[in-house]
Amino acid sequence: MAEGPMKTHGAGTLRGDDAGTEVMLAGWVNRRRDHGGVIFIDLRDSTGLVQVVLNPEDAPADEETLHGLRLEYCVSLTGTVRDRPEGTVNPDLPTGKVEVVASSLVVLSPSEPLPFQLDDRIDIDEALRLEYRYLDLRRATMSDNLVARSRAIAAMRRVMDEQGFLDVETPTLIASTPEGARDMLVPSRLRKGSFYALPQSPQLFKQLLMIAGVERYYQVARCYRDEDTRADRQLEFTQLDFEGSFWGQEEVLATLEQIASRVTATLRDFEPPLPFPRLTWHEAMSRYGTDKPDIRFGMEIKDLGAAFAASEFKAFSDVLEAGGTIRGINAGALGASRSKLDALVARAQELGAKGLVWLVVEDDGSLRSPVVKFLADAEQQSLKEGLEATAGDVLLIVADEQKTALEVLGRLRLDLGQPDDHDELAYLFVVDFPVFERNDDGDWVPLHHPFTAPVDVDQMRQDPGHALSKAYDLVVNGSELGSGSVRIHDPDVQAQVFDILGISTEDATERFGWFLEALRYGTPPHAGFAIGIDRFVAILQDTPNIREVIPFPKTQSGADPLTGSPSPVEEEQLRDLGIDIRDEVRAEWAAAETPGD
Ligand code: ASP
């Protein structure tokens, strides 16, 4: 075939108006019907598909070629668009009114028989899909996801560009940054025994850019965290990262509203109402038991401490005496069979509660529950009032330590609550996070990251556990889309935070001395944010799994079945890097079928 453009039109773009037009098309055989006479194929390209008629009498190609066409053969053809005959119009297909009668067809590349059918209606094992991702991506849902991702990122870039943000790249071979996860390390050949870390985020570089005088920065940045992967986590992920100087929380949140509404309008055709509601971290925790509440439905957690302050029911009074709390939700008319209620108790215990008290409101307003005999009339009355109970409702109560009670009810709320409108996107900001929390060893760790400004430095020193920070999250439908904060721009405050975190001055100097020094050169006040693009697109595409919107993701165990990564390397490469694989690891390889498994 002569060199030159192989198509005049996209297959999916042809409409009734094109009838009579001669077209050149190229793409893949998506479907074929060959009854020995006229052959019909659906030709697919990146714009969609169109029906093509191959009539051997028109001799578009020799008979062998025509009858030899198989699924996913890559072909080019010329032909004429015509209206489909009466009764054969397909209203479900954008090109369904027309078909192309081919006058010539060439097979550009034949295809092996496929390892799985490229049909969106068939459930295919994910490992197989990932092994043949290039075929999987030919499926309509997957190519829609790629398009959506591209459009979302383009919309984000447009907002950033319009608002004067500069797109600046930052390195991916860096010194470790303390974002709280394990670093991915890359050994250096030139300095054997030394390692680069891949960035957990561009955090410190974007702060350096503020010091450098870039007043508005953004980047679509790849980030790496060596954590166990979950459905909504990957070892590498993409953020829209941004930062600005001489501004604070209000400006960052306003920018986020612009980004979120533009992306929503692009992928979902509606604009979410502005401004987004805000909850403080404390409100979110006490009303929803989580810092990323789904506010599409109520079922809020209520403090029932006052109702049971003088209770003689030991399960309640003991907890209150020990400094615990009594909280409850009105789970609504669940259809409260005994087995369902027992299952809820088991679920609460599995989530870490010592128990769960349930009460069903009968038609006459009385309460049915194994514990009702222990509750005074007045207690029952204030319980019903506190939870706004009406006939048929199921009331669920957890008496426990505050953290457990809130967490368990927060999870039960998510199990039981249903949004009225599944398509709704309920954005909100969570603000006023604590600066620190205790880790399992009882040490202070930052709730966000150690570069986040405290609201009150003196208070932070005196009472780290109650100090609030200038950190904020963007949440939608129970998922955290990203976090950010006003940063510390005073090196002394930064040193104090390291100190509370138990990082000694020597240690801080050794690890971040370069950053503490940079802060000493006229650092402007600055603040920023990062949105997790994978999760954002997954939510807008209504798929629970971020792997569906990542072109080439890793499996849950961090492997890529397509390219076989991670994989062992040549002995020589290891020698160059000065790396020895320990004998016990080699022994493990020998025991496993494939090295690295
Ligand atoms: N670097 C932070 C993160 O990756 C985001 C930020 O504070 O801007 O979560």
Side-chain angles (χ1 to χ4, degrees):
M1 175 181 288
E3 287 292 317
M6 292 190 187
K7 26 166 117 181
T8 54
H9 291 74
T13 65
L14 299 175
R15 298 288 181 273
D17 289 352
D18 295 305
T21 312
E22 177 144 336
V23 293
M24 286 167 73
L25 303 177
W28 290 265
V29 177
N30 193 70
R31 218 159 73 103
R32 62 183 266 286
R33 269 158 298 143
D34 178 352
H35 303 301
V38 177
I39 300 165
F40 292 91
I41 61 171
D42 284 347
L43 182 81
R44 184 194 72 240
D45 68 10
S46 61
T47 63
L49 35 94
V50 71
Q51 174 163 292
V52 176
V53 186
L54 299 163
N55 189 343
E57 283 174 14
D58 302 336
D62 59 58
E63 296 252 347
E64 204 181 294
T65 307
L66 290 181
H67 293 295
L69 285 177
R70 292 290 175 268
L71 290 184
E72 298 306 311
Y73 271 36
C74 183
V75 300
S76 72
L77 59 91
T78 38
T80 308
V81 183
R82 75 170 182 207
D83 287 328
R84 285 202 198 185
E86 283 264 332
T88 64
V89 167
N90 179 352
D92 298 332
L93 201 65
T95 60
K97 280 199 171 131
V98 294
E99 58 192 10
V100 174
V101 185
S103 52
S104 76
L105 174 138
V106 177
V107 173
L108 300 171
S109 294
S111 169
E112 299 278 325
L114 299 171
F116 53 87
Q117 238 177 301
L118 306 188
D119 186 332
D120 280 333
R121 291 161 304 186
I122 297 176
D123 236 357
I124 307 148
D125 175 44
E126 200 186 7
L128 191 64
R129 288 177 53 203
L130 290 181
E131 184 179 346
Y132 293 94
R133 189 60 151 187
Y134 48 90
L135 297 178
D136 189 39
L137 292 174
R138 289 183 185 175
R139 294 191 301 127
T141 32
M142 293 307 285
S143 68
D144 283 353
N145 286 348
L146 283 187
V147 170
R149 186 184 178 101
S150 169
R151 295 180 67 211
I153 293 175
M156 290 178 194
R157 287 188 182 282
R158 265 197 298 279
V159 174
M160 300 320 280
D161 196 52
E162 282 164 15
Q163 300 201 6
F165 287 76
L166 201 66
D167 182 357
V168 186
E169 287 166 272
T170 55
T172 50
L173 295 175
I174 66 167
S176 151
T177 46
E179 298 256 359
R182 200 180 286 123
D183 282 321
M184 285 275 188
L185 298 176
V186 179
S188 160
R189 181 180 58 81
L190 297 175
R191 284 177 54 188
K192 292 188 186 37
S194 295
F195 293 81
Y196 302 98
L198 298 177
Q200 293 186 30
S201 86
Q203 184 62 34
L204 291 184
F205 282 96
K206 66 175 171 176
Q207 293 193 240
L208 292 180
L209 287 170
M210 297 301 108
I211 301 173
V214 175
E215 292 185 29
R216 294 285 183 273
Y217 142 92
Y218 87 98
Q219 182 181 193
V220 176
R222 190 59 62 81
C223 306
Y224 304 84
R225 296 184 191 175
D226 192 0
E227 292 178 310
D228 295 335
T229 47
R230 297 201 301 259
D232 64 348
R233 289 264 162 96
Q234 283 272 302
L235 297 174
E236 53 180 312
F237 57 96
T238 311
Q239 286 185 344
L240 173 71
D241 191 44
F242 66 90
E243 193 80 10
S245 309
F246 308 116
W247 72 346
Q249 171 170 313
E250 287 311 313
E251 292 79 10
V252 174
L253 300 191
T255 304
L256 284 166
E257 286 175 338
Q258 293 306 314
I259 298 169
S261 47
R262 190 80 74 92
V263 174
T264 309
T266 306
L267 295 194
R268 285 283 190 92
D269 281 342
F270 71 87
E271 300 213 1
L274 297 182
F276 295 162
R278 295 183 193 190
L279 283 177
T280 68
W281 181 87
H282 279 104
E283 277 172 325
M285 295 306 286
S286 64
R287 287 167 58 185
Y288 301 98
T290 169
D291 58 3
K292 38 178 192 289
D294 188 341
I295 55 167
R296 287 175 298 174
F297 57 94
M299 213 187 275
E300 290 188 20
I301 302 171
K302 296 281 161 46
D303 189 342
L304 303 171
F308 298 111
S311 182
E312 293 188 358
F313 180 35
K314 255 184 97 47
F316 286 177
S317 56
D318 284 357
V319 166
L320 286 180
E321 254 163 57
T325 186
I326 301 172
R327 308 275 168 137
I329 54 174
N330 181 344
L334 285 181
S337 70
R338 189 57 198 241
S339 62
K340 193 159 191 173
L341 294 165
D342 287 345
L344 282 176
V345 176
R347 170 80 175 137
Q349 285 167 339
E350 172 195 312
L351 292 169
K354 284 190 276 296
L356 176 78
V357 169
W358 56 259
L359 304 104
V360 180
V361 187
E362 303 282 29
D363 285 342
D364 63 0
S366 64
L367 292 171
R368 170 165 62 85
S369 165
V371 308
V372 79
K373 54 182 173 290
F374 303 116
L375 304 179
D377 286 349
E379 287 168 25
Q380 296 185 29
Q381 197 50 37
S382 26
L383 168 66
K384 284 189 282 184
E385 278 163 22
L387 291 179
E388 293 170 21
T390 53
D393 286 347
V394 176
L395 314 180
L396 301 175
I397 302 178
V398 175
D400 218 308
E401 284 174 20
Q402 175 161 316
K403 190 166 179 292
T404 312
L406 292 176
E407 247 171 51
V408 170
L409 286 169
R411 294 288 294 273
L412 289 177
R413 177 182 175 271
L414 288 181
D415 289 352
L416 301 170
Q418 283 296 337
D420 288 341
D421 171 8
H422 181 79
D423 287 335
E424 186 188 347
L425 290 167
Y427 291 100
L428 80 145
F429 293 121
V430 178
V431 299
D432 296 345
F433 278 72
V435 188
F436 305 108
E437 62 182 346
R438 295 239 189 233
N439 67 10
D440 293 342
D441 300 331
D443 300 325
W444 291 124
V445 288
L447 224 76
H448 187 40
H449 54 55
F451 310 103
T452 297
V455 171
D456 180 335
V457 178
D458 291 335
Q459 193 225 348
M460 173 185 76
R461 279 240 68 108
Q462 283 155 18
D463 187 3
H466 287 100
L468 294 183
S469 72
K470 297 182 187 169
Y472 32 78
D473 274 7
L474 173 61
V475 171
V476 71
N477 297 2
S479 288
E480 178 203 313
L481 288 183
S483 344
S485 57
V486 175
R487 323 300 182 184
I488 297 167
H489 67 279
D490 174 340
D492 296 330
V493 176
Q494 187 64 73
Q496 290 186 47
V497 169
F498 285 147
D499 186 39
I500 294 171
L501 293 173
I503 304 177
S504 67
T505 316
E506 300 79 65
D507 204 10
T509 311
E510 192 181 307
R511 285 167 64 195
F512 322 109
W514 53 275
F515 181 68
L516 292 174
E517 184 182 1
L519 287 178
R520 297 192 181 282
Y521 291 94
T523 301
H526 57 288
F529 201 87
I531 298 179
I533 291 180
D534 309 301
R535 194 176 299 167
F536 196 10
V537 177
I539 290 168
L540 289 170
Q541 288 294 93
D542 201 15
T543 165
N545 182 343
I546 59 168
R547 292 190 296 274
E548 297 297 301
V549 299
I550 298 177
F552 296 100
K554 308 272 186 291
T555 61
Q556 295 268 31
S557 58
D560 175 10
L562 170 55
T563 63
S565 76
S567 54
V569 296
E570 300 291 331
E571 288 299 328
E572 202 181 314
Q573 288 174 290
L574 290 175
R575 248 197 322 277
D576 279 351
L577 296 168
I579 290 180
D580 267 341
I581 304 290
R582 289 151 67 138
D583 288 342
E584 60 263 36
V585 175
R586 286 189 191 277
E588 279 171 27
W589 285 0
E593 262 175 56
T594 347
D597 266 7

